[in-house]
Amino acid sequence: MRTARRVRLLAAAGAAVAALALTACDNGTGTRDEGASRPPTTTSTQTTATTATPKPSETADGGTGAGTGTGTGTGGSTSAPVGDTATKKPSGGSGSAQVLCDGSDTAVTVQPLSRPLNHMLITVRNTGSRTCCLTYYPVLRFDEMQWVPQPAEETHPQAVTTLAPGESGYAGVLLSAADGSGDGGTTGRRLAVAFQGMTPHSSGGAPATPSLPAKGVYYDSSLRVTYWQQDRNDALDW
């Protein structure tokens, strides 16, 4: 009798954990970043696409993941933010649950802008068949960059950005200080965009490698990003 009761209790607990995993994108828990000021750890993860994910940490090795043209995250090896392991694809059939957006089921493009000055817009379009979630903020790595651009906390959204199939989400990037106060200015030729999981600095899946302009993109130590936004204007108005 005691054994049967214990089995029922364990089953109930497992069901509760599964329910939390499937609804995490809905209730906004993915956006509260308690550790944005610290860099991610440097443990490699294996994604569902068997692509090494970008690991933008101070000890990251030089990756070759900045591909050309597609921006779908299926390029060569890069490094990415990892920490607590996050489930990329919750179980269930097509349409049964929301999933994390990553480079394998999105199309990612970047667009340098003249206004706001020294800004760039990242656009992520959901090319998959299920609604996906963009948690926290994009983790950027130009070429062999050895530091992690931090987010502008004033852009923290009220809820997780979610994309139905065909919809787009956005993030703004401040590339350099308008007054020239930034240090270490250089031109980036390749870019890897890493996605975070359900906890800060965890891996969200395959990175994307969108193409940059032929002349590259100039950035300096002022480089910052916004949190993922549902509205394009919110990604630029900061």
Side-chain angles (χ1 to χ4, degrees):
M1 184 66 114
R2 290 181 178 176
T3 300
R5 183 179 180 185
R6 179 176 299 176
V7 169
R8 287 196 299 272
L9 289 174
L10 291 174
V17 170
L20 286 173
L22 293 178
T23 58
C25 289
D26 292 318
N27 60 28
T29 56
T31 59
R32 186 173 299 279
D33 187 351
E34 301 297 340
S37 62
R38 61 182 175 84
T41 57
T42 57
T43 305
S44 295
T45 60
Q46 186 72 22
T47 68
T48 55
T50 66
T51 303
T53 57
K55 191 186 319 170
S57 65
E58 294 182 356
T59 58
D61 57 314
T64 58
T68 57
T70 64
T72 56
T74 56
S77 174
T78 61
S79 21
V82 293
D84 301 324
T85 301
T87 300
K88 165 58 189 148
K89 303 290 184 186
S91 60
S94 178
S96 65
Q98 294 176 338
V99 298
L100 293 173
C101 303
D102 74 2
S104 69
D105 53 17
T106 61
V108 181
T109 58
V110 296
Q111 178 186 1
L113 304 171
S114 58
R115 292 188 178 181
L117 186 65
N118 300 341
H119 278 64
M120 182 174 72
L121 179 69
I122 302 175
T123 301
V124 176
R125 182 171 60 86
N126 183 0
T127 59
S129 60
R130 291 190 285 182
T131 296
C132 70
C133 306
L134 288 168
T135 57
Y136 305 104
Y137 53 90
V139 179
L140 307 185
R141 187 184 187 191
F142 285 102
D143 300 316
E144 308 304 323
M145 193 166 69
Q146 297 297 306
W147 54 283
V148 181
Q150 293 300 295
E153 289 300 331
E154 64 269 28
T155 67
H156 204 301
Q158 294 297 313
V160 175
T161 296
T162 58
L163 308 179
E167 289 186 339
S168 296
Y170 308 90
V173 182
L174 172 64
L175 294 168
S176 59
D179 60 3
S181 60
D183 297 322
T186 188
T187 298
R189 304 292 182 183
R190 296 171 296 151
L191 174 65
V193 179
F195 299 82
Q196 299 193 59
M198 299 309 297
T199 56
H201 314 304
S202 63
S203 173
T209 54
S211 298
L212 295 177
K215 65 179 181 180
V217 172
Y218 179 84
Y219 68 92
D220 63 23
S221 61
S222 304
L223 183 65
R224 288 195 301 162
V225 299
T226 69
Y227 284 80
W228 290 114
Q229 305 293 330
Q230 204 81 46
D231 188 277
R232 183 180 187 273
N233 291 331
D234 292 335
L236 298 176
D237 187 20
W238 61 293

